[in-house]
Amino acid sequence: MIKDIQQEIIKLKKEKDICILAHCYQSPEILEIADFTGDSFALSVEASKVKNKTVIMCGVRFMAETVKILSPDKTVILSNGDAGCPMAEMMDKQTIAQVKEQYPDYTVVAYINTTSTLKTICDVCVTSSSALKICSKLENDNILFIPDCNLGNWISKQIPQKNFKLLNGCCPTHAKMSVKDVEKAKAAHPDALFLVHPECTPDVVSLADYVGSTTGIMNFAKESDAKEFIIGTENSIVSHLQLECPDKQFYPLSKDCICHNMKATTLVDVLNCCKGTFGEEIILDEETYAGAKRCIDEMIRLG
């Protein structure tokens, strides 16, 4: 049944000139029919290079918005319109505008996990893999980092010469993992290296053998000589790594580290998107497009 649906999707995307993007938190059956898989911004960049006129993003809303910003002439479809991001929705334009009034001499750095509307009043975007490099390059030593205080805290520890202002935002999925989870996992797997995403809380991150983005975690595990790993990010990465590295063992830090928004998209959703009967087209007004693009362009300029 799954194979039949996959074959139909492959047939339709060829007939209708569709490019399918799948974030690495998606299920294996979706990753298998995607043209590109990976982290959100990398997917947006790949989409901007293809000739296809229609792009389906199997991910969450802010990711589809980023695709649209980098490919304004393409039709961009979010595979499931209910797939949002709690962290991206924690802060709005009005709230941050008020904070900026209190800290007028701060450069506003927005994690890519923000809405396109919020990006319009920020100075530069960052990804989890580029945040350290970009924040280090900023001429201003005063940085207002939004929305994820955990990622912001980790970056601030690497460049103590900068003055960071952090707000109380986070990824609920990563933030729920605790030191007790780490202790339990290490007791059960004493030889395993602990790899963690910086969206986890500082006390969890401090116990890691490696800290990095989702792609960074996956690359580290693949290239390492170690044979066992505890994975401190969304649990789909555990299964993906196990499939790619069958000679190694991967353990979830917590059985509860599941992004329900990412899991909202099903293989049938993707099929129906290809048929044109499901999904949501991403449409941005000119002001939002221009403001968010400026923020993303500055990220690209800084590396």
Side-chain angles (χ1 to χ4, degrees):
M1 183 66 176
I2 290 176
K3 184 178 179 180
D4 292 340
I5 296 172
Q6 288 176 321
Q7 289 302 315
E8 181 66 14
I9 290 171
I10 292 169
K11 174 176 173 288
L12 286 170
K13 74 175 183 176
K14 289 179 180 178
E15 291 176 354
K16 298 190 176 186
D17 192 31
I18 295 171
C19 174
I20 297 179
L21 311 175
H23 189 272
C24 45
Y25 289 176
Q26 294 294 322
S27 61
E29 61 266 24
I30 292 176
L31 296 181
E32 287 171 356
I33 51 84
D35 296 286
F36 300 99
T37 64
D39 282 341
S40 62
F41 185 69
L43 292 174
S44 302
V45 173
E46 293 294 348
S48 70
K49 298 176 183 177
V50 301
K51 295 181 180 180
N52 309 77
K53 295 301 183 182
T54 300
V55 178
I56 296 174
M57 166 55 84
C58 302
V60 297
R61 183 171 299 277
F62 82 82
M63 298 177 184
E65 290 179 346
T66 306
V67 173
K68 185 64 177 179
I69 292 165
L70 268 61
S71 303
D73 296 330
K74 293 183 171 73
T75 298
V76 177
I77 307 296
L78 175 60
S79 56
N80 187 310
D82 291 331
C85 172
M87 174 163 56
E89 297 161 4
M90 279 182 180
M91 298 175 187
D92 58 27
K93 183 176 179 179
Q94 181 180 3
T95 300
I96 299 306
Q98 293 172 349
V99 176
K100 286 179 67 174
E101 290 178 359
Q102 299 176 42
Y103 301 95
D105 58 338
Y106 278 63
T107 295
V108 182
V109 177
Y111 192 17
I112 196 74
N113 300 38
T114 45
T115 66
S116 56
T117 303
L118 182 52
K119 288 181 177 74
T120 63
I121 61 166
C122 299
D123 297 303
V124 61
C125 272
V126 296
T127 65
S128 53
S129 58
S130 69
L132 177 58
K133 180 179 181 180
I134 290 174
C135 288
S136 298
K137 281 187 172 184
L138 293 175
E139 293 182 6
N140 191 358
D141 286 340
N142 294 327
I143 297 173
L144 173 62
F145 192 99
I146 62 170
D148 188 3
C149 63
N150 293 324
L151 174 60
N153 178 77
W154 183 72
I155 298 299
S156 70
K157 297 287 180 60
Q158 318 303 310
I159 43 176
Q161 68 273 22
K162 300 279 189 177
N163 179 32
F164 278 74
K165 175 66 179 177
L166 307 175
L167 303 183
N168 193 26
C170 68
C171 168
T173 299
H174 285 87
K176 71 172 62 172
M177 290 185 282
S178 67
V179 170
K180 287 185 177 180
D181 290 326
V182 180
E183 292 171 346
K184 181 179 178 181
K186 286 192 170 185
H189 313 290
D191 296 327
L193 296 182
F194 176 37
L195 317 183
V196 71
H197 197 287
E199 289 178 14
C200 291
T201 58
D203 53 354
V204 170
V205 170
S206 68
L207 300 173
D209 297 294
Y210 172 83
V211 182
S213 66
T214 303
T215 299
I217 287 173
M218 296 182 76
N219 289 340
F220 183 93
K222 292 174 188 177
E223 296 167 7
S224 173
D225 292 332
K227 293 298 183 182
E228 295 182 77
F229 304 88
I230 299 165
I231 305 299
T233 191
E234 215 275 344
N235 284 347
S236 58
I237 301 305
V238 177
S239 58
H240 297 335
L241 281 169
Q242 194 67 79
L243 288 170
E244 293 189 42
C245 307
D247 59 324
K248 299 180 179 181
Q249 291 293 320
F250 299 92
Y251 314 108
L253 175 58
S254 167
K255 62 181 177 61
D256 296 320
C257 190
I258 298 171
C259 177
H260 297 289
N261 281 276
M262 282 290 187
K263 297 299 184 284
T265 297
T266 68
L267 189 65
V268 174
D269 290 344
V270 182
L271 173 63
N272 290 332
C273 283
C274 291
K275 290 179 178 179
T277 61
F278 197 72
E280 180 181 335
E281 181 177 356
I282 300 299
I283 298 174
L284 303 175
D285 63 70
E286 186 58 35
E287 181 181 358
T288 300
Y289 165 74
K293 185 176 186 299
R294 172 194 50 77
C295 187
I296 292 174
D297 284 346
E298 183 66 1
M299 173 176 69
I300 296 170
R301 185 185 74 82
L302 290 172

